[in-house]
Amino acid sequence: LMDRYHGFFVALSYGIVSITITLFNKAIFSYYSFQFPLTLFVTQMILSLVFVNLLKVFSSETFGFPAFHLSKAVRLLPMAIGWWIYGISGVIALKYLNVPMFSAIRRFTTIIVMFGEWRLRDRIPPRKQQIAVVVMTFGAAVAGLTDITFNILGYLWVLVSFDNYFHIY
């Protein structure tokens, strides 16, 4: 059963974790008035690394990944820095935006990446992926249309993550 629906379970798990972490972070900022988004982001990354390494220790066949190599880390450093900028700018933007607007704007990132890959690398994703991304983005845009709070700082931080994608290319 797991082999047949592996992709579905992976996507479902990712969706659940993504929604949960977004709502958790928003609650931390809104309900508890937490003012340190970088601390929150770094703490979550450290806990994620610990969790992933524990999974590797207890089930290396399922959750195995290559050992650390400095040469590979140096090659991947620009991409890692870009991902950190994307993540940090997203956490800071979430502090200023409501969840539907934050999600709507972040969903446009996928379309921007698809467009960038088409223009810069001449890669066109399969039609089913294109349709899935358009439907997802449209749904997020409809949810974000109800935003009556305008926060320029939140919008600017989301734009930092968009801009960061183009610098990675």
Side-chain angles (χ1 to χ4, degrees), residues 22 28 36 47 111 133 158:
T22 300
I28 293 292
F36 306 99
L47 290 173
I111 284 186
V133 168
V158 173

Side-chain angles (χ1 to χ4, degrees), residues 39-129:
T39 303
L40 181 66
F41 182 79
V42 170
T43 302
Q44 289 172 347
M45 290 305 99
I46 290 170
L47 290 173
S48 295
L49 286 171
V50 168
F51 182 70
V52 166
N53 280 292
L54 284 173
L55 287 174
K56 182 180 180 180
V57 168
F58 291 113
S59 183
S60 60
E61 293 173 9
T62 305
F63 296 102
F65 49 88
F68 177 82
H69 295 287
L70 185 61
S71 62
K72 189 179 284 187
V74 169
R75 259 191 6 251
L76 295 174
L77 187 62
M79 186 172 61
I81 290 170
W83 185 85
W84 271 76
I85 292 169
Y86 177 78
I88 290 169
S89 64
V91 171
I92 294 171
L94 184 59
K95 179 180 173 184
Y96 297 105
L97 298 174
N98 63 41
V99 173
M101 182 52 78
F102 173 78
S103 296
I105 295 172
R106 285 297 280 259
R107 291 306 143 249
F108 281 101
T109 304
T110 310
I111 284 186
I112 290 171
V113 170
M114 283 175 45
F115 179 77
E117 286 190 352
W118 170 61
R119 296 296 296 158
L120 301 172
R121 296 189 175 175
D122 214 20
R123 290 186 192 163
I124 299 173
R127 175 68 76 202
K128 287 183 180 180
Q129 285 180 11

